[in-house]
Amino acid sequence: MRALVLLMFVTATIPMAFMRPVVGLMLWILFSYMNPHRVAYGFATGFNWVMITALVTMIATMAHSDQRQPLRMTPVMVAMTLFLVWTGITALTAVEADMARTEWVRFFKILLMAYFTLILVTDRQKLHWVLWTIVLSFGFWGFKGGLFTLMTGGSYNVMGPIKSFFRDNNGFALVMCMSIPFMRYMQLHEPRKWCRIGLWVLMGLTAFSIIGTYSRGGLLALGVTSIMLLYKSRHRRSLILVMPILAIGLASFMPQQWYDRMNTIDQYEEDQSAQGRLDSWKFATNVAIANPLLGGGMRVWASSDMWNTYGPPGAKHRAIHSIFFEVLGEHGFVGFGLFVGMLATAWLSLARIRKRTRGSPDTAWMGDLASMMQVSLLAYMAAGAFLPMPYFDLFYQMLAITAVLNVLLERAVRSEAVRSPGDTPSPASGTTPDVGPPGRREIRPRTRRPARGRKTGPNGVQDLPWW
């Protein structure tokens, strides 16, 4: 039954994606993040829905030149492209060549859709469609995981969908921490009261789902996210009221086994998991020192010979559990510099957007979104410092959205300069506007009356339905 419903949904939306490419982008986000086919049964689970929606999006984009914009290489996109190129170079000399090339192709596909996000998201309305798709996709699993934690009394681990990039409990906690700021932004700009209340409930259950993962890194990231939400968000009073209540509820609800797990944070010398992370960091550092330019290539940690050569004596062979150390070991100091530079460029771009939108009612929403994305970026760095997730989808989608905000802000600044009152000559100045040769009638642009029943935006532009 679920497979049939999913097939009917795809059959109805794919033609719409051919007509409006941004709908195809939303479908790709839905299947990449929500993974609805993972909760279905039968034939639906075997289809490569992500590839199908990506191909439809690309074909529709090429077919509709009026619904795309040129690819603007903003500083964030330049940094992302340089990192992509460097990872491709290191893949050519990787220790585990076949595995590295397979991983790089997957990484290339992720960044390719990030480029299409910048091409297709041309205004605020389409950006909000994309943001709602992200919120609902991850919110589905946050709601489900939080409800599961409440119903089981926190006695079981919360996990992500099978065969997804956030299947394990640590990855799930990271993704949920990064999703909460997006939920908060949509709540700040949602006019419907029932929807704002629903987002409050969704944020609360998502926080419960993070606690239910038993992830110590997730708990750290949740603390960072909560503090930065208070610092960066408008209307802090509501957060100040809700957060203590939520914290007290979590503290009194979770069982003793959860506290026993969290108390091992400061006992890393006795905890095998924490000691394994430290061993993997030492391994990555030794690989980078031995190969400072190119590193060992993607998946270098899968080589037993490399572990025997560069790993600490008696260390267990495992993945490098840190986005920073993994990039260092796989791509050398140059790749590490590019990765950190990409993070810094994103942060500075968002800070610049916040600064330029202060005091402007028309662009205040951009400042709010930039603030919440900074919170999400900090959550990624805090939790990612203990997780092997330097190439996962949402982070690079955030970089693309940062570039979209830059483009929209520059466009808003130009339009504001065009209609600025200071550009209109006044009679007192002794000059008259140039209206053309004598006898020529002034031509004024015609305005169309909006269709009955359709809402109009603040500039009188008719809002289109999402389809």
Side-chain angles (χ1 to χ4, degrees):
M1 183 63 183
R2 294 180 184 179
L4 183 60
V5 172
L6 181 63
L7 183 62
M8 292 173 61
F9 171 77
V10 174
T11 304
T13 51
I14 286 295
M16 297 159 62
F18 275 112
M19 297 176 62
R20 303 198 69 169
V22 71
V23 176
L25 177 64
M26 293 162 62
L27 285 174
W28 178 83
I29 292 173
L30 185 75
F31 280 102
S32 297
Y33 298 166
M34 182 186 284
N35 291 267
H37 51 298
R38 302 301 182 194
V39 296
Y41 301 100
F43 63 90
T45 60
F47 284 0
N48 195 340
W49 300 105
V50 175
M51 184 185 71
I52 293 172
T53 52
L55 289 175
V56 169
T57 303
M58 295 176 191
I59 294 171
T61 301
M62 300 305 174
H64 296 279
S65 60
D66 58 326
Q67 298 186 40
R68 64 174 188 258
Q69 61 186 358
L71 180 63
R72 290 280 302 277
M73 294 304 291
T74 64
V76 173
M77 300 303 288
V78 171
M80 190 171 73
T81 303
L82 290 175
F83 183 66
L84 173 65
V85 172
W86 188 256
T87 56
I89 293 173
T90 61
L92 297 176
T93 60
V95 175
E96 296 289 338
D98 294 337
M99 297 176 67
R101 289 163 191 166
T102 301
E103 184 70 11
W104 188 84
V105 169
R106 189 187 71 84
F107 182 48
F108 173 78
K109 293 176 182 178
I110 292 172
L111 265 64
L112 183 62
M113 293 309 296
Y115 290 124
F116 271 88
T117 299
L118 180 55
I119 292 172
L120 292 174
V121 180
T122 57
D123 52 43
R124 178 184 180 181
Q125 186 183 46
K126 291 179 180 177
L127 179 57
H128 276 196
W129 292 346
V130 169
L131 292 175
W132 267 118
T133 308
I134 294 173
V135 166
L136 294 177
S137 296
F138 290 126
F140 170 78
W141 293 104
F143 181 89
K144 185 174 179 288
L147 205 59
F148 175 80
T149 302
L150 290 175
M151 293 177 64
T152 60
S155 300
Y156 299 94
N157 285 20
V158 175
M159 308 287 284
I162 58 174
K163 297 183 180 180
S164 67
F165 65 87
F166 58 106
R167 166 59 177 169
D168 67 283
N169 62 326
N170 295 306
F172 183 88
L174 167 62
V175 169
M176 293 301 111
C177 285
M178 294 179 67
S179 303
I180 289 177
F182 287 102
M183 299 174 189
R184 175 61 176 166
Y185 167 76
M186 300 310 299
Q187 185 192 49
L188 287 173
H189 291 270
E190 176 54 52
R192 293 163 291 191
K193 184 177 179 180
W194 66 268
C195 200
R196 292 196 302 271
I197 296 174
L199 286 168
W200 270 123
V201 174
L202 184 59
M203 285 189 286
L205 287 174
T206 302
F208 267 97
S209 72
I210 296 169
I211 298 298
T213 60
Y214 281 67
S215 170
R216 293 165 296 183
L219 179 65
L220 174 64
L222 180 59
V224 172
T225 303
S226 302
I227 293 172
M228 293 307 298
L229 275 177
L230 286 173
Y231 177 69
K232 293 280 188 179
S233 180
R234 292 189 296 112
H235 306 303
R236 297 183 182 90
R237 294 179 182 177
S238 55
L239 288 174
I240 293 173
L241 290 174
V242 170
M243 283 186 176
I245 298 174
L246 186 62
I248 294 172
L250 289 171
S252 60
F253 183 79
M254 298 305 292
Q256 183 60 38
Q257 63 189 35
W258 182 85
Y259 287 97
D260 295 339
R261 173 67 174 169
M262 297 303 112
N263 287 334
T264 60
I265 292 178
D266 58 350
Q267 300 171 2
Y268 64 90
E269 295 178 348
E270 301 175 5
D271 184 73
Q272 294 182 356
S273 176
Q275 189 61 44
R277 282 182 169 86
L278 294 178
D279 290 340
S280 70
W281 297 353
K282 293 176 183 177
F283 166 75
T285 304
N286 292 336
V287 171
I289 292 174
N291 305 274
L293 185 62
L294 297 174
M298 288 181 170
R299 298 277 178 167
V300 64
W301 49 266
S303 171
S304 298
D305 292 337
M306 293 294 288
W307 265 101
N308 294 332
T309 305
Y310 299 106
K316 181 181 178 181
H317 301 183
R318 60 182 298 171
I320 304 170
H321 279 241
S322 171
I323 57 174
F324 301 107
F325 283 99
E326 181 170 351
V327 171
L328 177 64
E330 292 182 343
H331 309 296
F333 288 97
V334 176
F336 178 76
L338 290 173
F339 183 74
V340 173
M342 186 168 56
L343 290 168
T345 302
W347 180 272
L348 294 175
S349 297
L350 293 169
R352 176 174 170 268
I353 292 170
R354 292 183 66 236
K355 183 177 180 181
R356 295 185 65 184
T357 55
R358 285 175 186 159
S360 174
D362 294 336
T363 57
W365 67 274
M366 297 185 191
D368 288 338
L369 180 55
S371 297
M372 294 299 99
M373 288 181 65
Q374 282 185 318
V375 178
S376 188
L377 193 62
L378 277 176
Y380 173 64
M381 289 188 286
F386 306 97
L387 296 176
M389 299 182 68
Y391 316 114
F392 91 109
D393 307 38
L394 181 58
F395 169 60
Y396 296 95
Q397 198 69 27
M398 282 177 52
L399 297 183
I401 294 173
T402 302
V404 169
L405 278 179
N406 275 312
V407 173
L408 294 180
L409 179 58
E410 294 298 333
R411 189 180 302 162
V413 169
R414 287 197 302 267
S415 63
E416 183 67 25
V418 169
R419 66 172 183 263
S420 175
D423 296 339
T424 305
S426 62
S429 64
T431 61
T432 57
D434 183 13
V435 295
R440 178 178 292 180
R441 182 166 56 91
E442 180 182 2
I443 300 176
R444 298 181 178 179
R446 297 178 61 186
T447 58
R448 296 180 62 185
R449 180 179 298 175
R452 187 172 299 176
R454 294 272 180 88
K455 297 181 180 179
T456 57
N459 298 323
V461 180
Q462 182 175 322
D463 289 338
L464 297 174
W466 70 272
W467 59 87

